[in-house]
């Protein structure tokens, strides 16, 4: 993956991160990323339950817009376990106005609906003894985040999927065994649409790993499983989608049966393409592209971690084989970006060509280590096309993981989270 490619290139554009790489990384490790539909806002969730929202300026660079605490650590007294504050998913809703945005965020058990935006405050002056109405003395504009609703007690297991419907009124949330359908105006009631829980838990053979609504058809939803399957259900047929409409399973390209086969075949991320015609899935080693009209085999298989195939034993011993990597698709659906180890990410041309890896965690500046002195919102314009990074499993740092990534819906900008930093890049085509 180190060879040069005429189809794939990218340039570094901006760093969003703490003042020093030596700060307490654990408290600020990024756990979720999401652009809004306009590409103007970028929400970054962390393991401490906080969300930082960045806004794109006229220059094209992002600056801090607002920061708030979305979730706090709780304790489940029935199960005697702590519920982490980590923000696992963020989903934007269609903006209600030019100054107000709404978003859904969740930790392992609770979903919250927030309104983030600018609020104008007025100060009035009144002359004692005067009959005149008070006059506006000063106007100030502040950014605030206000919780609208809390959707709790809907899941017995950790939430692993959150998706907004195209009607912008309903959304689904999934855990290991069930998928619930919620309405944004009703926090007290959720409808069960998928239930994989058997009568005898010893008969359980697979779990749900994620769920998503179709981008245009509000009646279609899909969910992925630990067996590497993707199922598509139609809410028009029946309220409980126990009998799925279609199932996608790659029998020809499945891994040879081994001790690790079930672990590496589990789908870590699954999404519809922006046009709604394709489904894209990623497991530990491979990325697959499915045509909704063709269930038997994918239209493309893209090796993402093929160089790790001979190191599965070591990855199992270090628990790295259980890592769940995201991916993101460009607005024109021509490129896919996904994270990997050593703080690196891979950029893949969908139509063919050589996938290239680039190091996200340790970019090489032309002079000095400017990454150690930047603060949140400070930026550096791209100076040159980045050089591809050769991934060597022997010397790679498997503790530095780029698990999260997101792509702006309207341009070539994409974000990759490596440890406690978010790095923004611009995909550039040489064609």
């Amino acid at each position: 993956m180190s060879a040069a490619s005429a189809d794939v290139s990218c340039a570094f554009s901006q760093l969003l991160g703490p003042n020093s790489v030596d700060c307490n990384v654990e408290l600020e490790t990024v756990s979720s990323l999401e652009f809004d539909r306009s590409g103007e806002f970028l929400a970054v969730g962390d393991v401490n339950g906080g969300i930082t929202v960045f806004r794109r300026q006229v220059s094209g660079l992002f600056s801090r817009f607002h920061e708030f605490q979305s979730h706090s650590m709780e304790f489940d007294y029935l199960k005697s376990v702590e519920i982490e504050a980590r923000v696992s998913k963020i989903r934007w809703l269609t903006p209600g106005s030019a100054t107000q945005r709404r978003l859904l965020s969740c930790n392992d058990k609770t979903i919250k609906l927030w309104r983030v935006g600018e609020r104008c405050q007025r100060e009035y002056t009144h002359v004692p003894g005067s009959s005149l109405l008070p006059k506006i003395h000063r106007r100030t504009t502040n950014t605030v985040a206000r919780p609208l609703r809390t959707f709790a007690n809907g899941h017995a297991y950790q939430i692993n999927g959150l998706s907004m419907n195209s009607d912008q009124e309903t959304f689904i949330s999934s855990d290991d065994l069930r998928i619930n359908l919620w309405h944004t105006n009703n926090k007290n009631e959720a409808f069960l649409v998928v239930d994989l829980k058997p009568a005898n838990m010893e008969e359980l053979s697979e779990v749900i790993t994620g769920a998503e609504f179709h981008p245009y058809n509000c009646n279609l939803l899909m969910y992925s499983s630990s067996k590497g399957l993707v199922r598509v259900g139609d809410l028009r047929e029946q309220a409980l989608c126990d009998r799925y409409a279609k199932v996608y399973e790659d029998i020809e390209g499945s891994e040879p049966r081994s001790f690790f086969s079930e672990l590496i075949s589990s789908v870590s991320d699954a999404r519809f393409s922006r046009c709604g015609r394709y489904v894209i899935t990623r497991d530990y080693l491979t990325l697959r592209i499915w045509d909704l009209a063709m269930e038997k085999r994918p239209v493309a298989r893209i090796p993402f971690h093929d160089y790790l195939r001979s190191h599965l034993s070591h990855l199992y011993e270090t628990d790295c084989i259980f890592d769940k990597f995201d991916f993101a698709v460009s607005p024109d659906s021509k490129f896919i970006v996904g994270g990997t180890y050593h703080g690196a990410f891979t950029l893949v041309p969908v139509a063919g060509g050589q996938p290239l890896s680039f190091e996200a965690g340790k970019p090489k500046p032309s002079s000095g280590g400017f990454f150690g002195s930047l603060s949140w919102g400070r930026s550096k314009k791209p100076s040159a096309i980045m050089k591809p990074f050769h991934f060597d499993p022997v010397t790679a740092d498997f503790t530095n993981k780029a698990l999260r990534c997101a792509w702006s819906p309207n341009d070539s900008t994409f974000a990759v989270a490596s440890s406690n930093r978010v790095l923004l890049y611009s995909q550039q085509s040489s064609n």
Side-chain angles (χ1 to χ4, degrees):
M1 300 181 67
S2 61
S5 173
D7 301 321
V8 181
S9 62
C10 69
F12 168 76
S13 63
Q14 189 175 5
L15 167 71
L16 307 174
N19 290 329
S20 173
V21 294
D22 296 324
C23 71
N24 194 329
V25 176
E26 182 64 26
L27 294 179
E28 298 178 350
T29 300
V30 176
S31 58
S32 55
L33 280 176
E34 187 76 7
F35 284 96
D36 78 324
R37 293 194 172 194
S38 67
E40 181 183 358
F41 292 90
L42 171 64
V44 179
D46 61 48
V47 297
N48 204 33
I51 294 180
T52 304
V53 179
F54 296 91
R55 187 175 190 177
R56 194 192 299 261
Q57 304 302 308
V58 178
S59 62
L61 302 178
F62 285 84
S63 63
R64 189 203 302 231
F65 179 72
H66 190 62
E67 183 177 0
F68 62 96
Q69 188 70 25
S70 175
H71 290 77
S72 301
M73 183 175 293
E74 302 174 2
F75 191 82
D76 189 339
Y77 292 96
L78 293 178
K79 297 183 179 180
S80 298
V81 294
E82 288 185 344
I83 302 175
E84 297 181 1
R86 179 180 65 95
V87 179
S88 58
K89 301 288 182 181
I90 299 175
R91 296 293 181 263
W92 291 90
L93 281 70
T94 299
S97 66
T99 59
Q100 300 289 330
R101 295 292 190 276
R102 293 183 301 163
L103 61 85
L104 290 168
S105 64
C106 72
N107 63 356
D108 289 341
K109 292 297 179 67
T110 304
I111 306 166
K112 294 184 179 182
L113 176 63
W114 294 87
R115 175 178 288 147
V116 183
E118 299 175 343
R119 183 176 64 180
C120 181
Q121 293 181 334
R122 300 176 178 89
E123 296 182 9
Y124 297 90
T125 57
H126 178 71
V127 179
S130 174
S131 60
L132 297 177
L133 294 174
K135 295 182 179 180
I136 298 176
H137 173 65
R138 184 175 58 180
R139 288 187 177 95
T140 58
T141 301
N142 300 321
T143 56
V144 296
R146 186 166 69 92
L148 299 179
R149 290 171 193 85
T150 299
F151 306 89
N153 305 320
H155 292 278
Y157 304 94
Q158 292 184 1
I159 298 174
N160 54 31
L162 186 66
S163 178
M164 196 68 203
N165 201 345
S166 59
D167 61 14
Q168 293 299 302
E169 294 182 353
T170 57
F171 66 92
I172 54 173
S173 59
S174 64
D175 60 28
D176 289 346
L177 298 179
R178 289 171 175 168
I179 300 177
N180 290 332
L181 175 66
W182 304 80
H183 195 284
T184 53
N185 292 329
N186 188 353
K187 65 179 181 179
N188 299 317
E189 186 177 22
F191 297 93
L192 182 64
V193 294
V194 175
D195 188 4
L196 297 186
K197 186 176 182 180
N200 184 3
M201 288 297 289
E202 294 182 357
E203 300 176 357
L204 183 66
S205 60
E206 65 176 330
V207 296
I208 299 170
T209 59
E212 187 175 86
F213 266 120
H214 192 275
Y216 303 113
N217 297 326
C218 61
N219 55 286
L220 293 180
L221 63 88
M222 68 134 174
Y223 60 96
S224 56
S225 80
S226 57
K227 284 187 173 182
L229 306 178
V230 175
R231 296 182 174 93
V232 175
D234 192 337
L235 294 176
R236 294 174 302 181
E237 295 184 357
Q238 55 183 13
L240 187 60
C241 297
D242 287 341
R243 292 180 296 179
Y244 40 83
K246 292 187 176 183
V247 58
Y248 302 87
E249 181 179 8
D250 188 8
I251 300 178
E252 297 178 0
S254 59
E255 298 291 331
R257 192 70 180 176
S258 68
F259 176 77
F260 306 108
S261 58
E262 291 188 4
L263 298 177
I264 61 179
S265 63
S266 176
V267 177
S268 61
D269 195 11
R271 304 171 186 263
F272 283 103
S273 63
R274 297 186 187 274
C275 65
R277 178 180 175 181
Y278 301 96
V279 171
I280 308 168
T281 65
R282 181 180 180 181
D283 57 31
Y284 192 72
L285 297 179
T286 309
L287 187 141
R288 293 175 174 85
I289 303 176
W290 298 85
D291 190 321
L292 285 178
M294 191 168 63
E295 302 177 52
K296 294 184 178 180
R297 60 181 179 274
V299 295
R301 301 183 188 94
I302 303 173
F304 237 81
H305 279 163
D306 205 48
Y307 42 81
L308 297 179
R309 193 176 299 273
S310 59
H311 300 269
L312 294 179
S313 296
H314 172 72
L315 295 170
Y316 177 78
E317 294 173 356
T318 57
D319 289 339
C320 289
I321 201 171
F322 300 101
D323 292 331
K324 306 297 183 183
F325 289 93
D326 287 348
F327 68 87
V329 185
S330 63
D332 56 7
S333 299
K334 292 182 178 180
F335 294 91
I336 298 175
V337 64
T340 182
Y341 296 103
H342 205 78
F345 63 91
T346 301
L347 197 59
V348 180
V350 175
Q354 178 68 27
L356 292 183
S357 293
F358 302 91
E359 192 172 5
K362 299 178 181 179
K364 305 298 189 298
S366 56
S367 61
F370 62 85
F371 280 89
S373 60
L374 288 180
S375 60
W376 285 92
R378 298 280 304 275
S379 60
K380 183 180 178 67
K381 293 182 179 180
S383 57
I385 301 298
M386 293 185 61
K387 294 182 179 180
F389 166 72
H390 174 66
F391 191 97
D392 185 358
V394 178
T395 60
D397 181 7
F398 287 94
T399 62
N400 187 9
K401 308 169 185 178
L403 296 173
R404 306 289 169 247
C405 57
W407 204 307
S408 175
N410 300 319
D411 56 34
S412 61
T413 302
F414 62 89
V416 178
S418 176
S419 185
N420 61 336
R421 296 176 293 175
V422 177
L423 297 105
L424 298 174
Y425 296 89
S426 176
Q427 180 273 320
Q428 300 182 1
S429 177
S430 58
N431 294 339

